[in-house]
Amino acid sequence: HVQLVESGGGSVQVGESLRLSCVVEGLDLTRHCFGWFRQVPGKEREGVAATDFKGRATYEDSAKGRFTISLDIRVSTLCLQMDALRPEDSAMYYCAAESTAFFPGPCSPNEGSWLNYWGRGTQVTVS
């Protein structure tokens, strides 16, 4: 049984930090890409960052220099450290996983096909 469960969201002020976590169950971490996505009501889902078990990470422009994605295989947890938060970072954040077979190159949040495994999300509000 595959399960992804996010936590760590909340309400913070501009410039503050949050650390999101996603516990992964039921997947071989060495054979999947893992990513963070976000969505605001009425807008399309946006990719934020992705990584594999070797720590090869990619970031969308909005996250570069401020966010850090990491995968701790010892505790099967995907994290997103978010620093210098801005109001435009406010969204529901989701973690996702997909087989590396769906990616032509490195794990990327806006390439390949993220179809199969999603968490329910955690809300981040920056004001």
Side-chain angles (χ1 to χ4, degrees):
H1 175 65
V2 178
Q3 193 170 16
L4 282 69
V5 180
E6 302 96 335
S7 63
S11 296
V12 296
Q13 295 186 341
V14 172
E16 293 185 341
S17 299
L18 278 175
R19 185 175 181 84
L20 306 184
S21 297
C22 173
V23 177
V24 180
E25 296 180 358
L27 288 177
D28 182 344
L29 301 186
T30 66
R31 294 188 175 188
H32 288 79
C33 289
F34 295 89
W36 285 98
F37 298 78
R38 64 189 183 186
Q39 190 168 23
V40 174
K43 294 188 177 181
E44 290 190 359
R45 186 181 65 206
E46 175 188 20
V48 177
T51 189
D52 64 12
F53 79 103
K54 291 187 176 181
R56 293 174 293 198
T58 58
Y59 297 88
E60 292 306 297
D61 288 345
S62 62
K64 288 179 181 177
R66 299 188 300 127
F67 294 1
T68 304
I69 188 172
S70 61
L71 177 65
D72 189 338
I73 62 174
R74 300 168 300 172
V75 292
S76 297
T77 300
L78 178 72
C79 291
L80 184 69
Q81 176 67 38
M82 305 189 294
D83 299 320
L85 283 163
R86 305 166 179 167
E88 53 265 39
D89 295 318
S90 298
M92 184 72 78
Y93 281 72
Y94 300 89
C95 67
E98 189 55 83
S99 169
T100 54
F102 283 85
F103 295 85
C107 301
S108 173
N110 286 317
E111 295 182 9
S113 299
W114 297 87
L115 296 177
N116 288 311
Y117 308 114
W118 288 86
R120 293 188 175 184
T122 185
Q123 179 68 40
V124 172
T125 303
V126 186
S127 59

